[in-house]
Amino acid sequence: MIERNGKFYWYVTVEHQEIKGKSIGVAVADSPIGPFKDARGSAIITNDMTTGYTQISWDDIDPTVYIDDDGQAYLFWGNTQCYYARLKENMIELDSPIMPVELPRFTEASWIHKRGEWYYLSYASEFPEKICYAMSKDINGPWEYKGILSEIAGNSNTNHQAIIEFQGAWYFIYHNGGVNHDGGSYRRSVCIDRLYYNEDGTMKRIQMTSEGIY
């Protein structure tokens, strides 16, 4: 979800009723807690738009959205293949062709953030999922793979992340299966731990904790 011009735009994975496979829709609201309504009346990304890259029907999932310093918005998403496209200022139409991002060991759950002159593209990798990341000085790449950011989370085959700055500190938000021990990958528990950077801009490997932050 992201705010623009007083509106909140929420990008979600949906099952398309007419076109086989997963699609990406966008909802809009005046508040981040809703109520939300369909912003387009149709999906912004459908499976038939990406069949040139992979033949699976679930590659159009896990959308994330980012507005760059110059005001240009971008949508990133994908499974087994990472994609991105520019968005128009209205946030509900593409403003470029769909472009592939070549990332090693990419599975899903891409996330974009920026710190200083560096862009960071983190993502879930392989299965069970670790979190890996790449860096670039241009959001259009090329991206340089930097390795594992977070190891496999306890009692969960999946691990999807968000990275945010709040009051001058950086935080790594993810999930594990730690609360409901019988739920595993399907009863996910939201977690948050601190994230730190090295002097060269690379991110230090996350230390997952039972306590979280205080």
Side-chain angles (χ1 to χ4, degrees):
M1 187 190 300
I2 202 162
E3 183 272 336
R4 184 161 219 171
N5 298 328
K7 300 285 187 180
F8 293 85
Y9 296 90
W10 186 13
Y11 299 84
V12 296
T13 304
V14 296
E15 187 75 37
H16 202 286
Q17 294 180 349
E18 298 177 1
I19 300 173
K20 180 183 178 181
K22 302 294 185 182
S23 298
I24 294 172
V26 54
V28 65
D30 295 323
S31 164
I33 59 173
F36 283 88
K37 63 179 182 180
D38 187 343
R40 289 172 44 97
S42 63
I44 189 171
I45 302 291
T46 54
N47 183 246
D48 60 326
M49 298 167 69
T50 55
T51 53
Y53 300 102
T54 175
Q55 295 301 308
I56 65 173
S57 62
W58 60 91
D59 57 319
D60 297 300
I61 65 170
D62 292 352
T64 189
V65 61
Y66 180 79
I67 299 177
D68 208 350
D69 298 335
D70 61 2
Q72 178 62 61
Y74 296 85
L75 185 69
F76 283 73
W77 73 97
N79 177 285
T80 68
Q81 173 64 59
C82 184
Y83 306 106
Y84 82 113
R86 292 189 295 272
L87 293 170
K88 293 184 179 180
E89 187 171 355
N90 64 18
M91 302 299 284
I92 63 171
E93 294 178 274
L94 300 187
D95 199 27
S96 76
I98 293 172
M99 297 169 280
V101 184
E102 297 307 322
L103 296 167
R105 305 170 63 184
F106 178 84
T107 299
E108 58 190 5
S110 54
W111 179 271
I112 287 280
H113 77 278
K114 187 179 183 183
R115 177 180 178 267
E117 62 183 354
W118 287 106
Y119 295 88
Y120 299 81
L121 177 49
S122 53
Y123 53 93
S125 177
E126 300 177 332
F127 195 82
E129 294 176 348
K130 301 179 181 182
I131 302 299
C132 294
Y133 78 103
M135 295 171 60
S136 176
K137 290 190 175 179
D138 189 323
I139 197 168
N140 297 291
W143 294 93
E144 183 177 349
Y145 177 69
K146 293 298 182 180
I148 296 170
L149 179 60
S150 178
E151 293 288 351
I152 296 170
N155 198 34
S156 179
N157 287 326
T158 60
N159 188 4
H160 295 181
Q161 80 298 347
I163 296 171
I164 63 168
E165 182 184 16
F166 181 68
Q167 296 184 349
W170 287 87
Y171 297 92
F172 183 77
I173 303 166
Y174 60 104
H175 72 257
N176 63 18
V179 172
N180 186 338
H181 295 287
D182 295 327
S185 295
Y186 303 100
R187 293 292 185 269
R188 298 168 178 175
S189 309
V190 178
C191 308
I192 180 168
D193 281 300
R194 286 291 306 273
L195 181 145
Y196 299 96
Y197 295 85
N198 297 305
E199 289 186 4
D200 63 358
T202 57
M203 294 186 286
K204 294 184 178 181
R205 190 167 293 200
I206 297 298
Q207 179 67 47
M208 291 181 283
T209 68
S210 299
E211 299 88 349
I213 59 173
Y214 294 93

